[in-house]
Amino acid sequence: MSEEKFNEVHQQLQGQPDGGGQNADVSDAEREEYGALIEEIGSTQESSQEEMISSIEENGLNVERFNEIMMAVRSDQELQQRLQQEMDG
């Protein structure tokens, strides 16, 4: 299923009109494929999250502290620049 078709089916199943403003019919096959893709996306996200948590902890932080640091970085331009310099060098 193409990304465009996935988004169209998603909108239809969420009750949103498609880009043309009309509701398109979603076939049973499209529903099944969409459902399988949603499951795969969920599984991939879960796996990625587990890897991220593991990486954070392997570097001596816990997730709460990491999130505090990231919030500070997002709100402070100078800190963003310092972090970027550290990552580049």
Side-chain angles (χ1 to χ4, degrees):
M1 177 179 288
S2 71
E3 182 178 348
E4 182 178 319
K5 186 63 178 177
F6 176 88
N7 289 333
E8 180 183 315
V9 170
H10 177 74
Q11 288 176 341
Q12 293 304 310
L13 295 178
Q14 300 301 314
Q16 300 173 3
D18 64 15
Q22 301 174 358
N23 288 327
D25 293 333
V26 177
S27 71
D28 289 341
E30 289 170 332
R31 286 177 192 270
E32 286 181 33
E33 188 173 0
Y34 172 83
L37 288 169
I38 289 294
E39 285 183 30
E40 186 176 333
I41 289 167
S43 176
T44 300
Q45 286 176 333
E46 186 177 314
S47 176
S48 295
Q49 185 173 14
E50 289 171 1
E51 287 178 29
M52 185 176 77
I53 290 169
S54 182
S55 181
I56 289 168
E57 291 173 347
E58 286 173 6
N59 285 287
L61 294 174
N62 62 41
V63 173
E64 183 178 348
R65 182 64 180 141
F66 175 81
N67 288 334
E68 289 171 355
I69 292 168
M70 293 311 298
M71 285 176 53
V73 168
R74 286 187 197 117
S75 65
D76 185 328
Q77 183 70 25
E78 184 179 326
L79 192 53
Q80 287 176 19
Q81 291 172 350
R82 287 178 47 204
L83 177 61
Q84 189 62 48
Q85 289 172 350
E86 288 292 323
M87 290 173 57
D88 291 343

